Amino acid sequence: QKEVEQNSGPLSVPEGAIASLNCTYSDRGSQSFFWYRQYSGKSPELIMFIYSNGDKEDGRFTAQLNKASQYVSLLIRDSQPSDSATYLCAVTRAGSYQLTFGKGTKLSVIP
Amino acid sequence: EAGVTQFPSHSVIEKGQTVTLRCDPISGHDNLYWYRRVMGKEIKFLLHFVKESKQDESGMPNNRFLAERTGGTYSTLKVQPAELEDSGVYFCASSSNRRTEAFFGQGTRLTVV
């Protein structure tokens, strides 16, 4: 079983719609959860992090965490073509700085 | 504020040669990390420095890889001798003291032929 799982996509959504990206993790000791956006050939860019169960909102982005279900998601409202990228989910264990990544979900926002 | 910078951006070397990658973290960040993405796989952790000390090197694949961070500023990752399976993108990241939110450099694409 992979430690962090994401659907590879591509996930296609029309411009203006809500994009929903999902991630599951296997380690119940996971404590911190991160979403990175990576444009082709560029560095992963941190866009959200969440530590507690529930929702965390930042602009058009909402991260949702459910530790009981070992599930973290990222919602992007009012999706724009510029949001087209690969979204990487990453987690760390308590007391560790080591990020464990999923393979990423490729998002395509269609104008 | 300058972000994490890495160079070279690309390197093509022959099997058996030596390559040294360099990373300059964000100024003031004590934590520095090396990660690697092999084609088709997820990004994987290699090691973690806190200032000049190796905090966690559990991800280093073998003793052909040597990382240093003299003086607690920039870091180098040397691969000697390089093998074909070392090809991939090597990312460096940094974070401030006691923070796990890491910021990544643009990566060095290493190709071993």
Side-chain angles (χ1 to χ4, degrees), chain B residues 15-56:
Chain B
K15 177 182 171 181
Q17 288 187 323
T18 297
V19 62
T20 300
L21 313 181
R22 172 168 168 148
C23 168
D24 286 75
I26 293 172
S27 178
H29 280 192
D30 289 341
N31 297 290
L32 186 149
Y33 317 87
W34 284 98
Y35 286 84
R36 177 174 73 171
R37 186 168 198 164
V38 172
M39 187 179 293
K41 302 282 190 180
E42 62 274 20
I43 297 173
K44 282 198 175 281
F45 171 83
L46 296 178
L47 89 160
H48 169 207
F49 283 101
V50 177
K51 297 184 180 178
E52 67 275 8
S53 299
K54 291 177 185 174
Q55 182 75 16
D56 179 357

Side-chain angles (χ1 to χ4, degrees), chain B residues 34-109:
Chain B
W34 284 98
Y35 286 84
R36 177 174 73 171
R37 186 168 198 164
V38 172
M39 187 179 293
K41 302 282 190 180
E42 62 274 20
I43 297 173
K44 282 198 175 281
F45 171 83
L46 296 178
L47 89 160
H48 169 207
F49 283 101
V50 177
K51 297 184 180 178
E52 67 275 8
S53 299
K54 291 177 185 174
Q55 182 75 16
D56 179 357
E57 50 184 331
S58 61
M60 293 288 264
N62 52 60
N63 60 9
R64 295 186 294 103
F65 289 75
L66 175 63
E68 295 180 323
R69 191 182 183 195
T70 306
T73 54
Y74 71 91
S75 174
T76 57
L77 179 65
K78 180 190 288 188
V79 184
Q80 180 182 30
E83 298 289 345
L84 298 179
E85 64 265 26
D86 300 333
S87 296
V89 181
Y90 289 77
F91 290 104
C92 176
S94 70
S95 69
S96 60
N97 190 27
R98 298 195 191 93
R99 303 293 297 185
T100 53
E101 301 95 63
F103 299 89
F104 280 73
Q106 81 281 9
T108 294
R109 181 173 295 277

Side-chain angles (χ1 to χ4, degrees), chain A residues 11 13-17 19 37 39 60 76-87 107-111:
Chain A
L11 172 66
V13 300
E15 183 175 354
R37 176 177 63 197
Y39 294 112
R60 295 186 298 113
I76 306 175
R77 289 181 300 282
D78 188 24
S79 295
Q80 301 297 310
S82 58
D83 295 326
S84 298
T86 295
Y87 288 80
L107 172 67
S108 180
V109 181
I110 312 300

Side-chain angles (χ1 to χ4, degrees), chain A residues 36 43 51 97-99 103, chain B residues 33 35 37 40 56 101-102 105:
Chain A
Y36 285 83
S43 61
Y51 304 136
Y97 289 68
Q98 179 181 145
L99 287 164
K103 281 191 173 183
Chain B
Y33 317 87
Y35 286 84
R37 186 168 198 164
D56 179 357
E101 301 95 63

Side-chain angles (χ1 to χ4, degrees), chain A residues 59-72:
Chain A
R60 295 186 298 113
F61 299 98
T62 299
Q64 299 175 317
L65 174 62
N66 183 326
K67 288 188 177 180
S69 300
Q70 295 175 245
Y71 177 92
V72 58

